[in-house]
């Protein structure tokens, strides 16, 4: 499974970088997120309730940051467990570039695999749900950053 995307965020690259590394911001912006905690240097754990097609479950994600070049890029390694619903694992490369004015272009490339019930419902359905979750995250993220800057 692969996904790429690009978003323009109405904030400086430094502010976007800070927000992407702030568990409180991430918890507010990830749809269905029940908790986002720091578990170590560059490590987070998230608990997210999600529905993918007919599969509804609470997933626990272990997230590790690698190849960190602040405030430009990093790579995420993610392992997701959803009990009987299945599991996922993968990585995401995230890059931030300054745009004109006070905007930042965020690009990402995700590669991953799924198993269990998630794999049984089909990759097309899972990819559609992943695109929807990404769009929701970036909409919330842009609003959250705007609010924190008084926009």
């Amino acid at each position: 499974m692969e996904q790429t995307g690009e978003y323009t965020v109405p904030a400086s690259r430094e502010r976007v970088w800070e927000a992407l590394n702030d568990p409180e911001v991430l918890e507010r912006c990830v749809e269905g997120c029940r908790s986002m905690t720091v578990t170590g240097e560059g490590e987070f754990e998230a608990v997210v309730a999600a529905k993918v097609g007919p599969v509804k479950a609470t997933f626990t994600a272990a997230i590790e940051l690698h190849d960190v070049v602040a405030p430009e890029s990093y790579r995420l390694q993610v392992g997701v467990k959803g009990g009987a619903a299945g599991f996922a694992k993968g990585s995401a490369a995230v890059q931030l570039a300054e745009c004109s004015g006070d905007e930042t272009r965020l690009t990402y490339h995700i590669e991953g695999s799924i198993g269990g019930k998630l794999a049984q419902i089909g990759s097309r359905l899972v990819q559609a749900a992943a695109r929807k979750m990404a769009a929701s995250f970036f909409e919330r993220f842009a609003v959250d950053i705007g609010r924190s800057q008084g926009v």
Side-chain angles (χ1 to χ4, degrees), residues 3-4 24 41 48 51 100 110 120 127 133 138-139:
Q3 181 179 343
T4 59
E24 291 178 11
E41 182 69 31
V48 179
K51 185 172 189 250
S100 60
I110 299 170
Q120 293 173 359
Q127 285 188 1
M133 287 182 74
F138 287 110
E139 287 171 19

Side-chain angles (χ1 to χ4, degrees), residues 23 36-46 61-66:
M36 177 75 67
T37 55
V38 174
T39 58
E41 182 69 31
E43 297 178 354
F44 300 87
E45 181 177 273
I63 305 156
E64 296 178 5
L65 305 181
H66 296 278

Side-chain angles (χ1 to χ4, degrees), residues 49-67:
K51 185 172 189 250
V52 180
V55 178
K56 184 176 180 181
T58 299
F59 297 90
T60 301
I63 305 156
E64 296 178 5
L65 305 181
H66 296 278
D67 305 328

Side-chain angles (χ1 to χ4, degrees), residues 22-43:
D22 183 336
E24 291 178 11
V25 172
L26 297 174
E27 185 175 336
R28 287 191 301 266
C29 297
V30 173
E31 188 173 339
C33 188
R34 294 186 177 163
S35 68
M36 177 75 67
T37 55
V38 174
T39 58
E41 182 69 31
E43 297 178 354

